[in-house]
């Protein structure tokens, strides 16, 4: 029970990678706050899964791009639990399109959720973590933030931005016992990737040296490690979980 007495907030935890992270942290003793934005029935399923295996869980609905709401909800979590030890900035969306056809609103929305959302939650959580002189922040970036991807200028820019944000906040918060790291998944089987055309998936498979797509648990295990005390001397790092796709 390495996370006994720890409180964790996982954004976008109703589905996919966030869900697997929430379940993994709860399995090892954390009290987990599961954030989501619209899919209440999926969030309730995560709640049931965690509670039925003896874990502790609470649902918390907010949009990570809404800075006032984020501030309010995270300070409530800190008051209710008497602290916040782990923040996993996982919530993310895509709105793909080629550059010349990309609408302003698709650029703005992806940057607001995927990058500003990480800033909003980090700023609010850091207030609590700095005071308690302990914190673990893990940001989910993406292989496309490192290598780029045609049709994803907005998403690639947001995910590359997360890497800079991770490194800057790691330096700012280190002296207060707060580590900040990023995990960079490759192609992971979730709702976000299920809509990709079969020929695109086949092309990816050909260039992944380990010969398979990842699953959410592949990512969750690394997030849990970075959130643990075993990773106390690691900060400002980007850990790739991509089957060798980009090294
Ligand atoms: P997913 O299955 O589509 O789940 C996305 C989650 O984010 C859902 O829980 C969703 O909540 C939540 N969410 C969306 N917008 C939100 C907002 N504005 N505020 C709060 N929550 C919000 O996605 P995924 O594939 O697990 O991806 C999770 C993260 O990993 C994302 O940051 C993604 O960019 C990154 N990533 C994924 C892959 C991949 O191959 N899957 C690869 C690299 C990186 P609702 O259920 O309420 O909609």
């Amino acid at each position: 029970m390495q996370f006994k007495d720890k409180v964790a907030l996982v954004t976008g935890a109703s589905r996919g990678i966030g869900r697997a992270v929430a379940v993994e942290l709860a399995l090892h003793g954390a009290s987990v706050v599961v954030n989501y934005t619209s899919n209440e029935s999926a969030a309730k399923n995560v709640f049931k899964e965690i509670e039925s295996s003896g874990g502790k869980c609470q649902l918390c609905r907010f949009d990570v791009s809404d800075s006032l709401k984020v501030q309010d909800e995270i300070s409530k979590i800190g008051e209710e639990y008497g602290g916040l030890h782990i923040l996993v900035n996982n919530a993310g969306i895509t709105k793909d399109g080629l550059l010349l056809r990309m609408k302003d609103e698709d650029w703005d929305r992806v940057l607001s959720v995927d990058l500003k959302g990480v800033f909003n939650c980090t700023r609010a959580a850091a207030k609590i973590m700095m005071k308690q002189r302990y914190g673990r922040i893990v940001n989910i970036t993406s292989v496309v933030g490192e290598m780029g991807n045609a049709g994803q200028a907005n998403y690639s820019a947001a995910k590359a931005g997360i890497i800079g944000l991770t490194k800057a906040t790691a330096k700012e918060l280190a002296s207060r016992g707060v580590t900040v790291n990023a995990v960079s998944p490759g192609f992971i089987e979730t709702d976000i990737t299920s809509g990709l055309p079969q020929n695109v998936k086949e092309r990816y498979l050909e260039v992944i040296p380990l010969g398979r797509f990842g699953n959410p648990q592949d990512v969750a295990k690394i997030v849990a490690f970075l959130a643990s005390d075993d990773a106390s001397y690691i900060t400002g790092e980007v850990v790739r979980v991509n089957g060798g796709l980009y090294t």
Side-chain angles (χ1 to χ4, degrees):
M1 301 296 272
Q2 59 183 328
F3 297 119
K4 191 174 168 284
D5 302 326
K6 296 283 194 293
V7 179
L9 167 63
V10 184
T11 68
S14 49
R15 294 181 280 122
I17 293 170
R19 176 185 179 134
V21 170
V23 168
E24 181 71 17
L25 295 177
L27 190 70
H28 294 282
S31 295
V32 181
V33 180
V34 165
N35 160 258
Y36 67 104
T37 186
S38 57
N39 197 333
E40 190 156 353
S41 72
K44 282 184 174 160
N45 285 338
V46 183
F47 179 85
K48 275 187 217 147
E49 183 179 347
I50 291 176
E51 293 266 308
S52 66
S53 52
K56 285 168 273 173
C57 177
Q58 180 194 319
L59 301 183
C60 188
R61 182 179 197 157
F62 61 83
D63 180 337
V64 293
S65 70
D66 181 342
S67 61
L68 289 178
K69 184 87 173 141
V70 166
Q71 181 54 55
D72 189 40
E73 293 294 339
I74 292 185
S75 76
K76 274 196 228 153
I77 292 167
E79 278 162 28
E80 194 177 323
Y81 287 90
L84 174 62
H85 308 96
I86 298 165
L87 167 67
V88 182
N89 281 308
N90 165 80
I93 57 167
T94 52
K95 286 191 182 292
D96 298 350
L98 293 172
L99 181 71
L100 296 189
R101 286 193 221 137
M102 187 170 284
K103 297 188 194 109
D104 283 12
E105 60 257 38
D106 290 346
W107 171 271
D108 290 344
R109 185 66 187 148
V110 169
L111 269 289
S112 298
V113 173
D114 293 13
L115 181 56
K116 188 157 184 249
V118 177
F119 164 71
N120 287 338
C121 296
T122 300
R123 184 176 53 179
K127 280 188 195 154
I128 302 169
M129 291 176 173
M130 286 168 82
K131 242 186 245 160
Q132 74 194 4
R133 297 202 165 253
Y134 181 93
R136 295 277 181 272
I137 300 175
V138 184
N139 299 326
I140 307 299
T141 177
S142 166
V143 67
V144 309
E146 300 184 274
M147 68 178 201
N149 196 21
Q152 291 195 309
N154 49 2
Y155 184 73
S156 303
K159 292 296 180 182
I162 288 177
I163 295 175
L165 179 58
T166 300
K167 289 177 183 290
T169 46
K171 288 192 170 153
E172 262 189 58
L173 304 182
S175 65
R176 307 297 180 94
V178 180
T179 66
V180 189
N181 291 290
V183 171
S184 180
F187 190 107
I188 309 296
E189 286 185 288
T190 68
D191 291 349
I192 227 173
T193 46
S194 65
L196 288 176
Q198 194 54 31
N199 63 329
V200 175
K201 289 187 185 178
E202 278 161 18
R203 255 191 286 132
Y204 268 117
L205 262 185
E206 279 166 20
V207 292
I208 297 172
L210 284 178
R212 67 168 176 90
F213 300 134
N215 58 57
Q217 289 73 24
D218 291 324
V219 182
K221 298 274 181 201
I222 298 302
V223 173
F225 168 68
L226 291 171
S228 76
D229 287 340
D230 291 339
S232 60
Y233 199 54
I234 303 174
T235 197
E237 274 302 330
V238 181
V239 181
R240 295 176 178 142
V241 184
N242 64 24
L245 174 63
Y246 182 79
T247 55

